[in-house]
Amino acid sequence: MSSADPPQPPFALRRFDATAMLLCAIVGLDTLGSVAARGPQGLIWMAVLGLLYFAPYGLLIAELGSAFPQEGGPYVWTKLAFGRFTAGINQVFYWISNPVWLGGSLCVTAIATFESFFFPLPGGWKYLAGAVFIGAAGLAVHASVRSGRWVPIAGAVARIALLGFFVVSLVLYALRHGVHPPAAGDYTPTYLGLVALAPVIAFNYMGFEVPSAAAGEMADPKRDVPAALLRGGLLSALLYGVPIFGTLLVLPSEQVGSLTGFIDACRAVFTVYGGHIGADGTVVLTGAGSVLAMVAAAGLIIGLLTSGTAWAMGVSRAQAVACADGAGPRWLGVISARRGTPTRVNLISTGIAALVMVASLALSGGDAQKYFTAGIGLAISATAISYLLTFSSFIVLRRKYPHVSRPYRIPGGQVGAWTVTVLTVGTMLFAVVALIWPGLGVGWFGTSGDPAGYLPTGFEGQRAAYTATQLVPVVLIISLGCLLYALGARHRRTIASAAFTTQPDRGAFVETH
């Protein structure tokens, strides 16, 4: 190692680890059904948003992550651009979305998968299953970097193996039973489809910055982050498009549910190994079909678990960095010297996820689909709100720090920089508004359609109730951010008010006992 090389942590994450973390963060298996449920035009809008949002988003993060490689990633970038208070509030949105997602849609989907492939979970057994799921995620995030790196690796392998096996099974199913390809006209993109799909597709594409949030654990973030983004981005697009297309080939669009769509498609294609589909569409698996389906179900649950843990590894560190910097109480900024993880933030995150899980099962009244739609909506909106400032910080940092070395730089000068900023910020703004007010623009200016028809499943005719599930938490998150900032006042008085330097820094206090 030359004297010019950046100091490395005791055990450093490598490019392969960053790519695995990226795959787990971006490829969220809980939302495959949500896109497939909107029919073939979902694939078209995925391609369009892939070009207009996913690609610019990757380019933007590649430059930010390589130019400002401090641990804490999004918090650091936002602080340098807009100051500590704004960055602190923004970071709380980014952080809190993870336990809401983990205890909400990820846990609900995992339980639905278990019940679909193994056996029903009556009464309190659902709570026990949810506790095991969240507890496993908490233990994985709490583990040392040396051990914890295997979690996203296992998740990446599980995704590739599961989706690869699904494709092979789909081919065998098509040869034996044929498929039902959608009509060509069904692929025509419409504005109504965009309004319904933009938030969930944008959420599918989120996660490029997660490795940067743990940049302090990486061997060479300036080189590894851009390389991981390129590899992970291409693999993610493939791992999303193929199973969604396969689901639409196997199941009629009217039978695809946003919660269980991909699960139902898996059950259908696994009948080629043993089982049959009844005249009423009921799937019965037997013999090898039943065994292989259970193996695939275990892989799906692992994929869901590692989605939450990969995100948590990034967002928890970013929150610890924010608190260590004075945007919260000092004790939340402690990093365990033995494990190299933000133990206290992780414990709080696990507790929040457990509360969300209990609330989801207690308040859904048995309607898992209703809570799934509300929970996934809140997770998307919280993350998207935080991205509004994170993406905006890019153009500000170009102006404030023009002389900082940028190993990767978006081509096109200021025109290129403004283009990716407008595309990414604009997409997030549209997603947030479309989530808070489903059916945005439908029926306006004399056009056809009823906005009420775009309320999520389970909230038909209940716009006020659904809007409350999105706006009330936003107010609570802002209040929590302000409270944490107030609790950090004493700590801020003890540290320098200067901005972070542009040299790699772990960014958080390390426990010495």
Side-chain angles (χ1 to χ4, degrees), residues 237-252:
L238 182 64
L239 293 175
Y240 268 130
V242 172
I244 291 173
F245 182 64
T247 299
L248 294 172
L249 287 178
V250 175
L251 301 177

Side-chain angles (χ1 to χ4, degrees), residues 384-422:
I385 289 171
S386 75
Y387 278 9
L388 289 173
L389 282 179
T390 301
F391 294 161
S392 298
S393 68
F394 165 72
I395 199 69
V396 176
L397 293 179
R398 270 282 190 102
R399 176 180 57 81
K400 291 181 68 174
Y401 299 94
H403 302 300
V404 169
S405 173
R406 287 167 166 80
Y408 172 80
R409 190 180 185 92
I410 292 176
Q414 284 298 97
V415 173
W418 274 105
T419 299
V420 298
T421 303
V422 170

